[in-house]
């Protein structure tokens, strides 16, 4: 499969005479204050026994403190247009939900769409969501999403990931190094286990099971509410031993990756990636 390197220049870069801003330039004091680290341990535990410490990352920002300075999102929608989407009005529901997503993204954000049935097709590169582009993509959703054929989910997913991996303009964009995959299943003939596994095997991904009669746009809305409220980007937590006072035997970071992999010795670094608002707290236990 050929690489895609046709992503549109983000608006904040094309309008700036200073050129692209490096991602590190967004590491302001304001951003550092958005997350607080709290340690929970038992002060009465005997020193000679194993003691556990719970480290909790808490979102301390208010919704207004970062809205004005949030960075742009890069998102790729991978859409099933196989023959099964003809039944029960599923294709119409998908079109309505995608038009909703397009209307909620702003000029800082970019969106690409990939449709798959027997094979995958990239409908458009990552485009900046200006009013003109929004109209263009809404028209594309209405005219080019046509149901028919088999279901080659693998080709659709690989094509979407290729769009992300081949971006030319990455600096200062919210799109994880290991992309988060959000999957949606609706209708009686969907493969929920496969879609759940796809989301679960990505770093921070989520699976949504849309029940009969539920509005797909409501689930998209809930997802966007978090994505459009990034608290801090590319967060890493490093825990180290203090000589003569403590020793790290094991760190339990849940599903988050850690270095070194075995968790023994010091220091140990846990990579949380991008953290979002609206109650997205992270915990990391160690002993």
């Amino acid at each position: 499969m050929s690489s895609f390197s046709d992503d549109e220049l983000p608006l904040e870069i094309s309008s700036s005479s200073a050129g692209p801003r490096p991602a590190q330039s967004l590491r302001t004091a304001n951003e550092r204050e958005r997350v607080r680290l709290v340690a929970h341990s038992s002060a009465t535990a005997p020193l000679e026994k194993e003691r556990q410490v719970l480290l909790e990352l808490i979102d301390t920002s208010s919704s207004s403190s970062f809205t004005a300075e949030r960075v742009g999102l890069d998102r790729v929608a991978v859409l099933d247009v196989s023959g099964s989407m003809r039944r029960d009005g599923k294709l119409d529901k998908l079109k309505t939900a995608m038009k909703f997503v397009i209307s909620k993204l702003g000029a800082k954000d970019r969106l690409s769409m990939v449709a798959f049935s027997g094979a995958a097709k990239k409908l458009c590169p990552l485009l900046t969501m200006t009013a003109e582009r929004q109209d263009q993509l809404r028209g594309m959703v209405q005219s080019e999403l046509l149901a028919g054929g088999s279901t080659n989910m693998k080709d659709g997913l690989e094509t979407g990931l290729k769009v992300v991996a081949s971006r030319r303009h990455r600096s200062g964009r919210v799109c994880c190094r290991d992309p988060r995959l959000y999957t949606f299943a609706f209708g009686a003939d969907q493969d929920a286990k496969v879609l759940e596994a796809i989301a679960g095997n990505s770093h921070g991904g989520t699976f949504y099971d849309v029940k009969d009669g539920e509005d797909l746009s409501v689930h998209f809305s809930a997802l966007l509410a978090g994505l459009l409220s990034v608290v801090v980007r590319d967060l890493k937590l490093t825990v180290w031993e203090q000589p003569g006072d403590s020793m790290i035997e094991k760190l339990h970071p849940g599903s988050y990756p850690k270095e070194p992999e075995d968790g023994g010795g010091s220091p140990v670094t846990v990579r949380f990636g991008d953290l979002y608002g609206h109650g997205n707290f992270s915990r990391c236990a160690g002993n």
Side-chain angles (χ1 to χ4, degrees), residues 11 43 51 56 69 94 98 102 107 129 146 159 167 184 258:
L11 191 62
R51 292 194 294 178
E56 184 175 18
E69 59 182 72
L94 177 62
M98 276 308 303
I102 291 167
M129 290 293 95
L146 304 173
T159 302
R167 292 173 301 150
F184 297 81
K258 64 181 179 182

Side-chain angles (χ1 to χ4, degrees), residues 16-27:
S16 171
S17 59
R21 295 178 301 169
Q24 190 66 23
S25 68
L26 296 171
R27 300 293 185 185

Side-chain angles (χ1 to χ4, degrees), residues 129-149:
M129 290 293 95
T130 60
E132 180 182 2
R133 289 302 194 196
Q134 286 177 326
D135 287 341
Q136 177 186 344
L137 263 64
R138 278 190 287 262
M140 189 177 295
V141 165
Q142 189 59 40
S143 63
E144 297 196 30
L145 295 185
L146 304 173

Side-chain angles (χ1 to χ4, degrees), residues 1-285:
M1 184 189 301
S2 61
S3 295
F4 302 123
S5 56
D6 53 356
D7 52 307
E8 192 169 60
L9 192 68
L11 191 62
E12 67 268 25
I13 294 179
S14 61
S15 61
S16 171
S17 59
R21 295 178 301 169
Q24 190 66 23
S25 68
L26 296 171
R27 300 293 185 185
T28 62
N30 223 6
E31 187 178 29
R32 290 194 297 269
E33 292 171 358
R34 292 174 187 162
V35 175
R36 184 173 74 249
L37 179 64
V38 180
H40 305 273
S41 62
S42 173
T44 60
L47 291 177
E48 65 273 12
K49 292 187 177 296
E50 179 186 87
R51 292 194 294 178
Q52 290 191 343
V53 178
L54 177 69
L55 301 180
E56 184 175 18
L57 298 174
I58 300 177
D59 170 17
T60 60
S61 61
S62 65
S63 60
S64 60
S65 65
F66 57 83
T67 299
E69 59 182 72
R70 81 166 179 88
V71 293
L73 293 173
D74 283 348
R75 287 291 174 249
V76 181
V78 179
L79 309 171
D80 182 1
V81 292
S82 61
S84 64
M85 295 296 290
R86 292 171 176 164
R87 296 192 286 272
D88 303 320
K90 289 197 291 185
L91 185 63
D92 289 336
K93 294 175 183 177
L94 177 62
K95 288 182 177 183
T96 299
M98 276 308 303
K99 290 176 184 177
F100 170 83
V101 169
I102 291 167
S103 68
K104 292 301 179 182
L105 295 176
K108 290 184 176 182
D109 308 312
R110 297 191 300 174
L111 177 67
S112 172
M113 294 191 298
V114 172
F116 70 90
S117 52
K121 177 184 178 182
K122 186 186 70 168
L123 301 181
C124 63
L126 280 164
L127 299 177
T128 300
M129 290 293 95
T130 60
E132 180 182 2
R133 289 302 194 196
Q134 286 177 326
D135 287 341
Q136 177 186 344
L137 263 64
R138 278 190 287 262
M140 189 177 295
V141 165
Q142 189 59 40
S143 63
E144 297 196 30
L145 295 185
L146 304 173
S150 57
T151 307
N152 191 342
M153 190 184 305
K154 180 176 182 290
D155 196 22
L157 181 59
E158 289 179 345
T159 302
L161 291 173
K162 182 70 73 173
V163 172
V164 173
S166 303
R167 292 173 301 150
R168 296 172 299 163
H169 310 294
R170 303 170 180 234
S171 181
R173 311 294 299 167
V174 176
C175 190
C176 303
R177 186 182 331 174
D178 302 315
R180 298 173 187 237
L181 302 180
Y182 304 95
T183 58
F184 297 81
F186 63 107
D189 52 356
Q190 41 84 3
D191 196 337
K193 289 185 178 180
V194 171
L195 292 169
E196 186 173 12
I198 290 172
N201 287 327
S202 73
H203 179 46
T206 305
F207 167 69
Y208 296 82
D209 189 3
V210 184
K211 305 299 183 183
D212 288 341
E214 289 185 340
D215 188 347
L216 185 59
S217 298
V218 172
H219 291 273
F220 278 17
S221 177
L223 173 60
L224 282 172
L227 295 179
L228 295 175
S229 55
V230 177
V231 174
V232 65
R233 296 185 302 113
D234 197 21
L235 178 65
K236 293 181 181 179
L237 172 66
T238 300
V239 183
W240 63 91
E241 299 170 357
Q242 184 172 340
D245 182 61
S246 63
M247 182 176 67
I248 300 173
E249 293 184 356
K250 196 168 186 179
L251 196 70
H252 306 282
S255 61
Y256 295 101
K258 64 181 179 182
E259 301 169 356
E261 291 293 333
D262 60 11
S266 175
V268 180
T269 298
V270 180
R271 182 159 55 86
F272 292 97
D274 298 331
L275 295 187
Y276 301 87
H278 297 275
N280 285 272
F281 305 132
S282 299
R283 291 174 171 83
C284 181

